[in-house]
Amino acid sequence: MEKFVVEGGNKLIGKVSISGAKNAALPILASTILSDGKCTIKNVPYLRDVETIIKILGELGVKTLRNQNGEITTEPSKRKSNVAPYDLVRTMRASIVVMGPLLAKRGEARVSFPGGCVIGSRPIDLHFKGLEAMGAKLKVEHGYISAKVKGKRLRGAHIYLGGAFGPSVLATANTMMAAVLAKGRTTIENAACEPEMQDLAKFLISMGADIQGAGTPRIVINGVDKLGGAEHSVIPDRIEAGTFLIAGAVTQGNVTVENVNPEHLFAVIDKLRETGASIEIDADKINIRMKNRPKAVEFSTLPFPGMPTDMQAQFMVLLCMANGTSMITEKIYPDRFMHVAELSRMGAKIFRARETAVITGVRSMSGATVMVSDLRAGAALVLAGLVSKGRTDVRRIYHLDRGYENLEQKMKSLGAKIKRVVEKD
Ligand code: EPU
């Protein structure tokens, strides 16, 4: 296994280019199942999760080819299985997004039921609700979701996709991808408005789909008979960008993130300004400078355009060093606090009660050996290492490789002292 060794104390200074968004690339790649032609998808990050979806597409009979510069081409092949197997799905819950395209295109699907998740309970009832409303019959047997469409073609439906914690990003993706080839009109109410869903819709439209309202809570889709090839460039990763902005702020440095869409980061920028960061936006660049200790702030994570849950752990690190007491309420995944215990080992003062964490800022933290539980918790521990005194060993970094492209090279280019080390048992 590999780990990161981080030596704290350096201010991060410089420019960093942001990669394509993991959470847009995954459903977009899954949606190529729907296409009869060749698709070219640009700005796809090199990540473990992307490799997983490529393997699943291979199983399902979609040929993929990685070209230079983050470009992937896909083409339907003759070999056609409709099974997404356990060994691949267990490594990435997002694999469930092949369900909608398989049902729409082939009338059946067998997808391993996603297992437990360290960030808390992650039900899939809304995925079922959307697909069943369009006429699919789903059942869970032997650890798999088996689904069939009665009469082979899904039918349009009027669907309310709200759950106990609001809209669902991937249930919206699955329902939208199923609806593009369904007979008639589908209206999704309470759809997820995340930029990644807008990007998916844009790609589907370029394949020939008829979709209106993506990026709003009501998406209307008129089913078409078939979809062709298309070309698309994936949007920048707003969470990677936000993570580097916090790296600049927490080290009291001066960092510019390039190739970003600032509109996707509005809530993050607003809250960072409240902590005292000075932020300048210039087209697709955001510069952050932080001169003093951050001010304490309060926020709740919310669906887009609110503060993303995927930034909660990283923001918490900034607040660990703030002057005063901050409060974070996690409204999307009430148990997404695995990083709290590890940050406490580094000297952070955090009190957690259910979905709320109260953070009393400290003047300094100290390096320790810490363990990554999930992708964003891992990013938070690296950020904590950058500001802590001495050496931090961040273990189990395979989680980070799922979602951050070249993290250590990008951090190093800004002056961070971080290296990847193979751990001896
Ligand atoms: N939910 C339900 N029923 C469902 C589905 C979701 O109740 O059928 C609940 C969830 O338990 C949660 C809320 O709805 O409380 C939102 O979950 P959502 O379905 O939107 O999450 P997701 O689509 O499975 C995506 C991202 C996550 C990100 C969430 C929330 C991808 C591949 N994953 O997951 O990203 O945290 O949306 O924004 O797009 C990450 O990148 O680190 C990550 C975990």
Side-chain angles (χ1 to χ4, degrees):
M1 257 203 267
E2 292 177 323
K3 65 179 177 183
F4 282 146
V5 175
V6 186
E7 289 287 342
N10 276 15
K11 286 182 191 298
L12 296 205
I13 296 169
K15 296 176 184 164
V16 63
S17 179
I18 297 306
S19 303
K22 164 180 83 84
N23 290 348
L26 296 176
I28 285 173
L29 283 164
S31 76
T32 61
I33 294 170
L34 296 161
S35 174
D36 290 330
K38 179 172 166 180
C39 296
T40 304
I41 303 151
K42 299 177 180 169
N43 204 30
V44 181
Y46 285 85
L47 298 170
R48 222 169 48 122
D49 277 5
V50 169
E51 296 316 311
T52 303
I53 198 84
I54 287 174
K55 281 186 196 151
I56 292 176
L57 287 175
E59 290 283 327
L60 299 174
V62 178
K63 234 176 19 189
T64 56
L65 184 70
R66 251 285 182 198
N67 304 326
Q68 294 299 307
N69 308 325
E71 189 177 294
I72 291 181
T73 56
T74 70
E75 243 177 313
S77 78
K78 287 214 173 67
R79 183 172 157 252
K80 282 207 169 44
S81 153
N82 295 327
V83 182
Y86 172 75
D87 275 345
L88 292 170
V89 177
R90 76 181 170 83
T91 66
M92 186 181 79
R93 292 184 60 88
S95 317
I96 194 160
V97 282
V98 298
M99 182 82 113
L102 281 176
L103 281 174
K105 181 73 180 155
R106 304 183 190 170
E108 61 177 48
R110 198 158 175 266
V111 179
S112 177
F113 197 103
C117 181
V118 76
I119 68 175
S121 146
R122 294 183 74 180
I124 53 169
D125 55 302
L126 295 175
H127 297 253
F128 275 51
K129 188 175 179 183
L131 298 172
E132 282 175 342
M134 283 186 275
K137 293 266 172 278
L138 286 90
K139 61 179 175 186
V140 180
E141 52 184 9
H142 309 300
Y144 277 76
I145 306 160
S146 295
K148 265 207 163 83
V149 179
K150 234 176 114 191
K152 284 276 180 201
R153 189 167 179 192
L154 293 165
R155 308 179 301 272
H158 200 150
I159 306 160
Y160 177 73
L161 263 194
F165 295 94
S168 158
V169 175
L170 291 182
T172 299
N174 249 334
T175 310
M176 185 159 62
M177 290 189 283
V180 288
L181 287 180
K183 193 169 169 47
R185 170 175 292 192
T186 299
T187 304
I188 307 174
E189 307 281 3
N190 205 34
C193 302
E194 270 65 8
E196 292 76 17
M197 291 304 95
Q198 298 176 36
D199 205 35
L200 170 63
K202 201 171 157 201
F203 179 57
L204 292 168
I205 291 167
S206 64
M207 286 200 281
D210 178 350
I211 304 172
Q212 283 138 38
T216 77
R218 173 183 284 166
I219 305 178
V220 180
I221 303 135
N222 292 305
V224 296
D225 289 338
K226 59 182 186 155
L227 296 173
E231 208 177 289
H232 181 78
S233 183
V234 172
I235 54 167
D237 195 314
R238 63 195 167 103
I239 306 301
E240 187 199 11
T243 303
F244 277 99
L245 288 176
I246 293 193
V250 77
T251 61
Q252 297 189 4
N254 182 343
V255 168
T256 302
V257 289
E258 299 186 329
N259 307 322
V260 296
N261 185 338
E263 285 185 11
H264 296 167
L265 280 148
F266 224 74
V268 175
I269 290 170
D270 186 69
K271 226 10 107 178
L272 281 169
R273 282 187 170 138
E274 215 180 302
T275 67
S278 117
I279 294 185
E280 275 168 39
I281 300 170
D282 176 16
D284 67 349
K285 298 183 185 58
I286 306 172
N287 171 261
I288 188 162
R289 271 168 301 141
M290 190 80 163
K291 290 225 171 76
N292 300 308
R293 225 178 135 190
K295 292 180 201 146
V297 298
E298 291 177 9
F299 66 82
S300 295
T301 60
L302 290 167
F304 189 82
M307 175 66 86
T309 172
D310 292 343
M311 285 302 302
Q312 181 254 110
Q314 303 90 311
F315 221 109
M316 186 181 284
V317 176
L318 185 62
L319 302 182
C320 285
M321 303 296 290
N323 186 5
T325 300
S326 304
M327 193 160 86
I328 297 178
T329 303
E330 177 51 75
K331 297 254 191 195
I332 310 292
Y333 296 116
D335 289 320
R336 193 178 200 175
F337 285 118
M338 297 295 280
H339 42 286
V340 167
E342 299 302 292
L343 291 173
S344 302
R345 300 190 63 249
M346 300 174 77
K349 285 208 167 69
I350 306 165
F351 170 78
R352 183 202 158 188
R354 299 204 180 119
E355 74 279 22
T356 297
V358 177
I359 304 122
T360 306
V362 295
R363 282 193 176 274
S364 72
M365 295 202 284
S366 57
T369 298
V370 287
M371 195 95 90
V372 175
S373 55
D374 69 274
L375 175 57
R376 309 304 171 186
L381 294 176
V382 170
L383 294 174
L386 295 175
V387 283
S388 292
K389 286 198 177 124
R391 166 179 166 154
T392 296
D393 287 36
V394 182
R395 302 185 64 203
R396 297 203 179 160
I397 56 170
Y398 55 86
H399 290 289
L400 279 156
D401 294 334
R402 291 184 55 183
Y404 286 93
E405 187 176 55
N406 296 332
L407 181 66
E408 71 268 38
Q409 284 91 332
K410 289 187 182 186
M411 287 282 179
K412 267 188 201 158
S413 75
L414 298 171
K417 284 195 184 150
I418 177 169
K419 61 180 178 200
R420 187 180 284 258
V421 173
V422 177
E423 281 196 277
K424 293 187 200 88
D425 281 330

